[in-house]
Amino acid sequence: MPVMPLEYQVFDPSQCRFPRPRVPVLPRGLDLSKADDASLQQSISPLTGVGSHYSRGRYALGEAYRRAGVGCDGALLAPSYHCVTMLDPALALGAEVLLYPLTADLAPNLVELDALVSCSVKSIKALLATHFFGFVQDFSRLKQWCDVRGIAFVEDCSHTLFFDRYQAKGAGQYGEFIASSPYKFFPSADGGWLYTRNSTSHPVAETQPAGWLAELRGMKQCLDGARQPRLVFGDIANLDGQLSALADQAPQTGKDERRLRSAHSSQYLSDSACTAALRSSRWLINHSSLCVTIERRQANYRRWLEAVAGLPSCRALYPELPEHVVPYMFPLYIEHPMPCFYWLKQLAVPVWRWDEMAISTCSVAQDYRLHLLHLPCHQSLSDDEMNWLVAALSMVLRKSVVGVCR
Ligand SMILES: Cc1ncc(COP(=O)(O)O)c(C=O)c1O
């Protein structure tokens, strides 16, 4: 049976000519101070068991889907709000993907999930559930729902601290398969991890080690990242003039269009599906300071919360940071993506959003696609860099309100 193509809504920014971000969106540098102390107990716990290494989380997800039976005859249930790399591996297996709706805080909507499954003609083999932005969710009812229907539960821990040695509190307790992306938490060149609870009838695909050239490139990437020039305090003073110049020009809007696709995106490389993570990445991840990673991420997240509390036309998606959460990014809902997103990008602020997304009936996903910004809060941000990020966001949001009120 041919695969139903998915229709995507894609924002194409190529006409906008956005500059390279002035601050890295992911950690960089080498913070190898080993300081595992008692405060770690609150946020993480040691992990026992076996896992396999991949170069990215998407390939770990791909192996989980394959072993769960996702393919030409077995569909995948995935969250409506997603990054394309969460669906790519299923499309690479020739599988159909059904998108289930989410509530405003990005929890799966169980009632609508039931309705979706009852309409499906294909047998559903796996469900992907994500702890978005590191905020660990209680998936116990969802796991039960899967168990009753014989659907494999794939727990997406890509936004949580979950790797060889440790797991963030609460993460990884539900999945038959648990996939993570440790390179999002540590300054390594790559890193994806798959942890399997139960063996399935599908044999494990062996991974191949990366070649020495790739190892050397990975090490160079880390060293280059550590040497990149840092922003300094004086850069804040320039923001006002830069923003005024931008506000005087007509913004280049970019293209936002629908595209049909039945194959995976170019971000999924089939040749890399069975390549193991670089040895240097694994070493770096295992020798990075967890205390620094956790404490600085939490402090930067709180800094964002304080900063946005008095700002117009925006709200933090998660306005509380529980003690055990190690945040991946700071998700911020903005009312006016235009001009705010455009100005932030032109100021070279490292802001992400999932503006390429398969279309679903979920109004939350549709709304968040352009309105939900992902702002960095990683441990490598210096105080000057955080001050610059906060200043840029504050100025942009205030200026956008003046423009709207005029
Ligand atoms: C929630 C989520 N899951 C899975 C992935 C895939 O992770 P990776 O980039 O390691 O392939 C991503 C990618 O950003 C993601 O955001």
Side-chain angles (χ1 to χ4, degrees):
M1 215 192 286
V3 182
M4 280 273 290
L6 279 176
E7 194 172 16
Y8 288 77
Q9 188 75 36
V10 182
F11 174 74
D12 174 0
S14 49
Q15 291 176 340
C16 305
R17 297 173 186 273
F18 292 137
R20 275 167 66 91
R22 292 199 64 188
V23 175
V25 77
L26 291 175
R28 58 152 185 212
L30 309 169
D31 193 344
L32 301 179
S33 43
K34 253 190 158 318
D36 297 352
D37 68 18
S39 70
L40 282 178
Q41 301 302 320
Q42 288 172 352
S43 311
I44 57 171
S45 30
L47 188 65
T48 50
V50 284
S52 334
H53 291 276
Y54 296 84
S55 61
R56 287 277 186 279
R58 66 202 74 170
Y59 305 117
L61 282 177
E63 176 62 2
Y65 298 162
R66 193 187 64 80
R67 275 155 71 182
V70 171
C72 301
D73 299 319
L76 171 74
L77 279 169
S80 300
Y81 184 68
H82 55 262
C83 153
V84 289
T85 56
M86 294 153 73
L87 313 189
D88 275 343
L91 298 174
L93 289 164
E96 194 163 311
V97 177
L98 301 174
L99 298 167
Y100 64 80
L102 301 164
T103 58
D105 57 355
L106 297 177
N109 183 329
L110 269 177
V111 178
E112 297 206 25
L113 196 53
D114 263 331
L116 182 68
V117 171
S118 59
C119 298
S120 170
V121 267
K122 283 257 169 87
S123 139
I124 292 164
K125 294 292 182 189
L127 177 141
L128 177 70
T130 302
H131 300 289
F132 291 99
F133 304 107
F135 286 75
V136 176
Q137 300 195 30
D138 179 353
F139 286 142
S140 38
R141 278 187 61 213
L142 188 61
K143 168 80 172 93
Q144 245 175 16
W145 184 92
C146 286
D147 289 346
V148 168
R149 290 162 180 81
I151 295 173
F153 191 89
V154 181
E155 190 173 349
D156 184 358
C157 287
S158 285
H159 288 184
T160 72
L161 191 66
F162 187 100
F163 66 108
D164 303 40
R165 282 186 301 153
Y166 292 104
Q167 67 193 100
K169 278 271 156 69
Q173 51 173 312
Y174 307 99
E176 243 159 272
F177 301 97
I178 301 149
S180 73
S181 308
Y183 79 95
K184 290 185 169 77
F185 280 82
F186 301 101
S188 57
D190 73 354
W193 210 56
L194 178 65
Y195 181 87
T196 312
R197 268 233 163 78
N198 303 319
S199 56
T200 61
S201 51
H202 293 262
V204 180
E206 292 290 321
T207 52
Q208 302 300 317
W212 285 107
L213 200 58
E215 292 284 354
L216 287 174
R217 272 199 217 106
M219 281 191 254
K220 181 171 179 316
Q221 185 182 322
C222 294
L223 293 171
D224 288 350
R227 285 205 309 255
Q228 226 176 304
R230 316 289 305 220
L231 275 181
V232 288
F233 183 70
D235 290 302
I236 294 182
N238 301 330
L239 279 170
D240 199 28
Q242 290 166 347
L243 186 56
S244 296
L246 281 171
D248 286 343
Q249 302 159 11
Q252 189 49 268
T253 47
K255 275 194 263 169
D256 198 30
E257 57 196 19
R258 287 181 170 227
R259 292 186 195 159
L260 266 185
R261 200 190 281 154
S262 51
H264 56 79
S265 77
S266 57
Q267 294 179 56
Y268 185 90
L269 307 173
S270 300
D271 288 351
S272 303
C274 286
T275 306
L278 297 170
R279 296 168 189 83
S280 55
S281 295
R282 286 186 255 164
W283 187 88
L284 208 139
I285 289 164
N286 278 313
H287 287 82
S288 291
S289 165
L290 285 175
C291 280
V292 171
T293 304
I294 295 166
E295 283 167 14
R296 289 198 65 96
R297 279 176 180 265
Q298 291 178 334
N300 288 337
Y301 191 97
R302 287 194 190 101
R303 180 78 213 285
W304 277 122
L305 279 181
E306 262 170 47
V308 303
L311 288 178
S313 314
C314 73
R315 66 180 163 81
L317 183 67
Y318 300 119
E320 307 274 323
L321 180 70
E323 211 171 22
H324 65 277
V325 166
V326 185
Y328 162 52
M329 293 253 182
F330 178 70
L332 180 73
Y333 185 91
I334 56 166
E335 277 166 30
H336 311 296
M338 199 64 192
C340 295
F341 179 75
Y342 175 81
W343 285 346
L344 287 167
K345 292 291 281 186
Q346 289 295 3
L347 291 174
V349 173
V351 45
W352 271 3
R353 66 181 183 185
W354 287 340
D355 48 28
E356 176 174 351
M357 194 177 284
I359 297 171
S360 67
T361 54
C362 173
S363 56
V364 171
Q366 273 179 38
D367 184 32
Y368 286 7
R369 187 179 72 88
L370 296 182
H371 289 255
L372 192 66
L373 305 184
H374 311 180
L375 293 161
C377 64
H378 60 77
Q379 68 273 20
S380 322
L381 294 168
S382 67
D383 290 345
D384 279 343
E385 286 169 335
M386 268 313 284
N387 291 337
W388 180 81
L389 289 167
V390 164
L393 180 77
S394 311
M395 287 183 198
V396 161
L397 286 169
R398 291 205 172 102
K399 192 143 205 124
S400 74
V401 183
V402 174
V404 168
C405 294
R406 253 192 222 144

